[in-house]
Amino acid sequence: MRIANRRTTFAALLTTTALISAPAFAQEAEGEADATEIVVTAQKRSESLQNVPISIQAIGTQKLDDLNISNFSNYAQQLPSVTFQGSGTPGVNVIYMRGVASGGDGNHSGSLPSVGVYLDEQPVTTIGGNLDVHIYDIARIESLSGPQGTLYGASSQAGTIRIITNKPDPSKVEARMDAEVNTVAGGKMGGKFEFMGNAPITDGVALRLVGFYKRDAGWIDNVPGTRCFLPQPGGICVNNNAFVEEDYNETETIGARAALGIELNESWTVTPSVMYQSTSSNGMYAFDPSVGDLQVQHFAPEFRNDKFTQAALTIEGKIGSWDLTYSAAYLDRKTFSSSDYTDYSEAYDQLYSYYGGLAGYFYFQDNLGNTIDPRQKVIGSDHFKKHSQELRIASPADNRLRLVAGVFYQYQSNDIFQDYQVAGLGTRVSVNGSPGTLWLTKQHRIDKDYAAFGELSFDLTEQLTFTAGARLYKFDNSLIGFFGFGRNPNNNYSQTPYNGAGSSRTGVASCFTTTGSRLRPVAGTPGVTLFPAAIPGTPCTNLGVWTGSGVDPVKAEGDGVTWRFNLNYKPNNDLLVYATASKGFRPGGINRRADVPPYDADFLYNYEIGWKATLAPGFRINGAIYQQEWKKFQFSFLGANSFTEIHNGPDARIRGVDIDLAYNRGPLSISLAAAYTDAKMTKNLCVIDDPTFACTGPGNAISSPSGTRLPITPKFKAAGTLRYTGEVGATTKVYGQVNASYQSSATSEVRAGPAAIIGDLPAFANVNLAAGVEFEKLDIELFVSNLFDERGQLSRYLQCGQCGQRPYVVTIMPRTVGLRMSYKF
């Protein structure tokens, strides 16, 4: 096995060079030259990293450039406490921190994320996948581990990632242009072009512009294949000749960002900004090991278009000696996709083989009653809208008693659309009003959050400070619409077959009629009429609450308090020791299936001690030891008919250690960051929900016993960099850089049975090399990513709940060789 053969080599490399990046120590916040000072705003005020008593990593401007980081997967590789799960397609990753992961998340009707993502002051967390912001001209990326619910809210239960852009500078004119060309082993060529410019317009007013285009080369091949459906001989056989293509998973990203900095006077600034980004992805970003290395056999068009625009406004000023900050943002994100769902047809054809497969059990028929090709494709879209506002005040930082307090409001909505199509499906067995649609999901979701928060710090002595914070929150989530199969309208909806799946319960059968009854018990009644649909484009409404005169959304509401207490001791300028206790939460919500109850909020209690030490000029080591108690964690899975269900599981206990180390003196820079995470369930996970967790009773059993590891997160993860820069003449420098990462194995699913089918994520290591020359204005670099062409597995998944015949594997990009150039005007 590749990884086994090279594990010793990687271990020696890591040990010898003290690799693995704690990038926080490399660069000052706004990209300035002083690499010994890092300023962050994690606690809603500007502070030196070494004075912030929380576990935080920060990748600064220079480090982002050095490591050629341009997207989420790039910087997540450098953050040991961060893991993620997804299909590999950009923008669909679900982010986890410190082992707070149950897997299966990301459904557009499912749980809110447990990790918050911010762009400057504004939250950009979205359900169903992260906003994969292109990284260029970024001041820093901050990764805050542990519950951040006091200052950052519900979606920061396990941590927060903040992307901080460089701001307009009225003191200078600057511009830069970057270009890259690369080639992927066994794949195509890619590249990118980026530029930025900053210029004063008038006294105290400056404009900063950023533009970028990136093309990621493909490396997955869609190879020829056939699928034959029962009965055989005599059944339908199909091939994918029309879709065969090499290296078909290409991605193009284009976008721009603009910010206007206005200094009204010495105390007040106004910064309006806007960002637009469009990402077009084609093909599949995972491979099927049963077909071959980096190969799949797919039978339908596959693409995903992801566009977003964010407009933001930040106002900062002083009222007396107090700082006041107001931030508001509006995010509009639209996605549109097509994906192959032939695996579902293949799996269910075998599942019902006793009845002759799909042809004998389902009703995949045209209008003449002829059996048709049962392959499916899924056309989907999401339209996210998010509006957020925050107003906060902060007392002078040099007071003995200091306060940060504010109020927050957020409104986010999502128009959800999933159309499961079977070409030629007859009208009477399709979803009503949508010929050719076997299953339709069309829903409107709203999530509203209200909060008031504050943190009060008091210097007990010159060295000892106590901080107490609380956040009063209220959430109001709702969901309304339609999901499911159609219903044959003949004979007042009583004629069979009811639909292509023969289902008598799901879909139109559970819609409300004009009398308020669900259709199923009154089907066949003369004159029975469906109540008009709440969501346009649907036949009726089955996800909602009958009010007596109409249908209202299903709602989940709640309120409560999260808190954080911190005691920190700073005996001198070079050492900080702290202890923290904090609580985070994630709201509960609604299951679409009527027979699955709503799921409750889950809570995370964090206890940690940490330190930040400067041992010598340019040499620092930070760390934290923690234990977290995750109460009744939410977990999702594909249940009956591959329908997503969200439940509350048992409790879990997570213990871990975070270490950040950096040395930066003269020509040599070495950094090391590592995370050890031991995340386990402390009670049984049952097949059927059981408040006692004994998993007894009819039909119940233990799905995963107490002590089972939580999925996705490896026990050990590390990442980092060694860089040496030498001077050649007065204005020329040359450098060499080694960057490496390693993560141990992890499970892919919280339930033992499905986890065994999907397979574990094996351990892997990755090494990246770069060498270049820096002239006065021009930089040239040659780089190699994934030097040993490893198949590092990031995620594994199935296309449907019964699709165990084809687990898909998401890997890191194969070996990539490229040339970069940068010119500063």
Side-chain angles (χ1 to χ4, degrees):
M1 189 174 178
R2 304 162 75 113
I3 189 70
N5 293 337
R6 296 195 175 107
R7 189 168 295 154
T8 303
T9 302
F10 284 122
L13 179 63
L14 294 175
T15 303
T16 302
T17 61
L19 292 176
I20 311 315
S21 160
F25 304 115
Q27 195 61 222
E28 199 268 342
E30 299 297 332
E32 298 175 6
D34 183 4
T36 64
E37 177 73 11
I38 307 164
V39 176
V40 295
T41 52
Q43 296 193 122
K44 304 286 188 176
R45 63 167 83 231
S46 296
E47 303 170 281
S48 169
L49 176 69
Q50 294 303 100
N51 293 331
V52 180
I54 63 174
S55 181
I56 175 176
Q57 293 175 264
I59 312 177
T61 299
Q62 188 62 51
K63 198 71 173 183
L64 291 168
D65 286 346
D66 291 347
L67 297 178
N68 197 16
I69 288 173
S70 62
N71 58 29
F72 166 75
S73 61
N74 293 157
Y75 67 76
Q77 188 179 29
Q78 307 300 322
L79 300 172
S81 63
V82 175
T83 54
F84 61 93
Q85 181 184 38
S87 66
T89 305
V92 298
N93 294 303
V94 180
I95 308 171
Y96 305 109
M97 295 183 75
R98 275 190 172 178
V100 182
S102 58
D105 300 308
N107 184 273
H108 41 216
S109 302
S111 300
L112 286 164
S114 63
V115 174
V117 180
Y118 277 66
L119 180 60
D120 290 320
E121 293 287 339
Q122 295 80 26
V124 293
T125 314
T126 55
I127 301 167
N130 65 312
L131 200 69
D132 202 342
V133 177
H134 183 80
I135 304 301
Y136 182 70
D137 193 41
I138 297 297
R140 65 189 178 275
I141 295 174
E142 298 178 1
S143 175
L144 288 60
S145 298
Q148 305 297 322
T150 302
L151 295 180
Y152 291 99
S155 286
S156 292
Q157 178 191 45
T160 301
I161 294 174
R162 305 180 69 225
I163 302 169
I164 312 298
T165 62
N166 283 314
K167 303 303 185 291
D169 187 348
S171 68
K172 61 182 178 181
V173 175
E174 62 174 327
R176 173 179 168 178
M177 181 175 64
D178 293 80
E180 175 186 318
V181 61
N182 60 60
T183 180
V184 178
K188 293 182 179 179
M189 295 188 66
K192 61 183 177 181
F193 177 79
E194 304 159 314
F195 69 89
M196 62 76 57
N198 179 91
I201 299 176
T202 62
D203 186 32
V205 179
L207 176 67
R208 195 175 193 99
L209 297 174
V210 175
F212 49 87
Y213 170 81
K214 183 183 180 186
R215 181 183 180 88
D216 293 319
W219 69 90
I220 301 291
D221 297 335
N222 191 16
V223 300
T226 59
R227 298 288 183 271
C228 289
F229 300 96
L230 296 174
Q232 290 298 326
I236 293 173
C237 288
V238 296
N239 62 59
N240 66 342
N241 292 347
F243 305 103
V244 169
E245 183 180 354
E246 292 185 349
D247 311 318
Y248 82 134
N249 61 320
E250 298 177 315
T251 299
E252 285 191 335
T253 302
I254 188 169
R257 189 173 72 241
L260 185 67
I262 306 171
E263 295 181 352
L264 301 176
N265 53 41
E266 292 184 355
S267 301
W268 287 88
T269 63
V270 178
T271 309
S273 63
V274 63
M275 180 175 182
Y276 170 80
Q277 181 173 309
S278 173
T279 301
S280 298
S281 305
N282 294 300
M284 183 83 166
Y285 289 74
F287 73 93
D288 180 353
S290 69
V291 175
D293 182 38
L294 304 182
Q295 293 180 340
V296 296
Q297 291 176 342
H298 277 198
F299 295 76
E302 295 177 293
F303 61 83
R304 186 175 190 271
N305 299 323
D306 186 348
K307 300 178 181 180
F308 74 85
T309 301
Q310 168 152 315
L313 175 67
T314 301
I315 302 173
E316 299 172 288
K318 286 186 176 292
I319 300 178
S321 60
W322 288 60
D323 295 324
L324 182 143
T325 302
Y326 170 77
S327 62
Y330 176 77
L331 172 68
D332 189 294
R333 181 186 188 187
K334 298 178 181 178
T335 70
F336 181 72
S337 63
S338 173
S339 56
D340 180 42
Y341 205 47
T342 301
D343 289 4
Y344 177 95
S345 303
E346 179 187 29
Y348 276 79
D349 194 54
Q350 291 301 312
L351 183 66
Y352 294 114
S353 60
Y354 178 80
Y355 302 95
L358 293 176
Y361 194 84
F362 279 41
Y363 299 91
F364 286 1
Q365 301 169 350
D366 62 18
N367 285 328
L368 298 177
N370 299 313
T371 298
I372 61 174
D373 176 0
R375 289 178 297 165
Q376 295 182 50
K377 69 176 181 180
V378 184
I379 303 298
S381 68
D382 287 282
H383 187 182
F384 298 95
K385 296 179 181 179
K386 181 192 288 278
H387 175 221
S388 64
Q389 297 187 78
E390 180 175 294
L391 177 67
R392 68 175 184 272
I393 57 172
S395 62
D398 55 359
N399 284 1
R400 185 178 183 185
L401 181 65
R402 299 176 297 280
L403 173 70
V404 176
V407 291
F408 173 81
Y409 168 73
Q410 177 176 270
Y411 176 99
Q412 53 185 332
S413 65
N414 185 16
D415 291 321
I416 303 163
F417 174 72
Q418 294 278 299
D419 185 352
Y420 293 74
Q421 298 179 356
V422 178
L425 190 66
T427 302
R428 284 180 291 182
V429 290
S430 299
V431 171
N432 304 57
S434 300
T437 295
L438 176 67
W439 175 288
L440 178 68
T441 297
K442 204 167 191 291
Q443 300 162 353
H444 183 66
R445 173 172 179 162
I446 295 176
D447 295 89
K448 293 186 283 188
D449 297 276
Y450 313 81
F453 61 88
E455 282 200 347
L456 192 65
S457 298
F458 180 68
D459 295 333
L460 301 173
T461 68
E462 291 186 358
Q463 293 83 29
L464 189 64
T465 300
F466 176 72
T467 299
R471 186 181 188 97
L472 285 71
Y473 65 82
K474 179 180 179 180
F475 65 87
D476 181 353
N477 305 333
S478 65
L479 190 62
I480 189 170
F482 174 83
F483 65 94
F485 303 109
R487 181 82 173 201
N488 189 333
N490 291 348
N491 295 332
N492 297 299
Y493 300 98
S494 65
Q495 183 171 311
T496 58
Y498 295 126
N499 45 60
S503 173
S504 65
R505 297 175 178 272
T506 305
V508 173
S510 61
C511 279
F512 291 101
T513 65
T514 52
T515 65
S517 169
R518 303 278 185 173
L519 175 63
R520 185 171 184 266
V522 296
T525 302
V528 64
T529 305
L530 294 171
F531 190 82
I535 303 298
T538 63
C540 49
T541 301
N542 58 8
L543 180 59
V545 178
W546 181 256
T547 64
S549 59
V551 184
D552 281 352
V554 181
K555 289 191 174 184
E557 301 174 316
D559 55 56
V561 179
T562 59
W563 41 260
R564 186 175 81 97
F565 299 101
N566 178 274
L567 184 67
N568 68 82
Y569 176 63
K570 192 173 179 64
N572 55 58
N573 290 333
D574 296 329
L575 179 63
L576 170 70
V577 181
Y578 67 88
T580 295
S582 57
K583 175 187 177 183
F585 91 103
R586 180 169 49 167
I590 305 136
N591 273 293
R592 293 176 289 173
R593 291 182 67 112
D595 57 344
V596 180
Y599 55 95
D600 297 326
D602 58 2
F603 298 91
L604 185 71
Y605 297 87
N606 175 65
Y607 310 95
E608 72 177 85
I609 57 174
W611 67 91
K612 299 192 173 181
T614 303
L615 304 181
F619 180 38
R620 292 175 287 188
I621 181 168
N622 296 351
I625 302 171
Y626 63 88
Q627 175 165 311
Q628 298 182 136
E629 304 292 339
W630 195 10
K631 301 296 185 180
K632 295 183 178 179
F633 63 78
Q634 298 170 13
F635 73 101
S636 306
F637 62 91
L638 295 175
N641 296 318
S642 294
F643 198 85
T644 300
E645 299 180 16
I646 307 100
H647 293 254
N648 288 96
D651 297 344
R653 186 266 301 145
I654 306 167
R655 292 173 179 161
V657 180
D658 298 331
I659 295 290
D660 292 339
L661 166 71
Y663 175 81
N664 190 354
R665 293 288 286 176
L668 182 63
S669 174
I670 305 174
S671 54
L672 170 71
Y676 172 80
T677 309
D678 183 19
K680 296 179 179 178
M681 292 188 296
T682 57
K683 298 177 182 177
N684 297 328
L685 177 65
C686 302
V687 172
I688 302 173
D689 292 347
D690 180 355
T692 70
F693 303 102
C695 306
T696 56
N700 211 350
I702 296 174
S703 177
S704 295
S706 175
T708 299
R709 282 178 59 190
L710 295 181
I712 313 303
T713 304
K715 273 195 173 183
F716 181 76
K717 182 183 176 184
T721 306
L722 179 149
R723 185 181 178 95
Y724 185 88
T725 304
E727 294 187 359
V728 181
T731 61
T732 304
K733 297 179 181 179
V734 295
Y735 64 86
Q737 176 178 280
V738 182
N739 173 259
S741 60
Y742 172 81
Q743 62 185 58
S744 62
S745 63
T747 58
S748 56
E749 232 267 18
V750 70
R751 298 170 299 155
I757 295 171
I758 298 172
D760 289 345
L761 300 170
F764 74 91
N766 183 32
V767 174
N768 309 310
L769 301 180
V773 57
E774 298 175 353
F775 300 102
E776 185 175 4
K777 292 186 177 181
L778 177 66
D779 300 343
I780 302 175
E781 178 184 279
L782 179 67
F783 67 89
V784 182
S785 301
N786 191 3
L787 177 64
F788 298 109
D789 200 25
E790 293 294 326
R791 298 291 180 262
Q793 296 188 18
L794 301 172
S795 183
R796 297 175 70 100
Y797 67 94
L798 306 177
Q799 280 203 334
C800 72
Q802 299 295 330
C803 295
Q805 81 279 12
R806 295 188 185 276
Y808 288 94
V809 177
V810 180
T811 72
I812 60 176
M813 185 178 287
R815 182 192 300 115
T816 303
V817 180
L819 179 69
R820 290 202 298 158
M821 291 183 290
S822 176
Y823 187 82
K824 302 177 181 67
F825 294 92

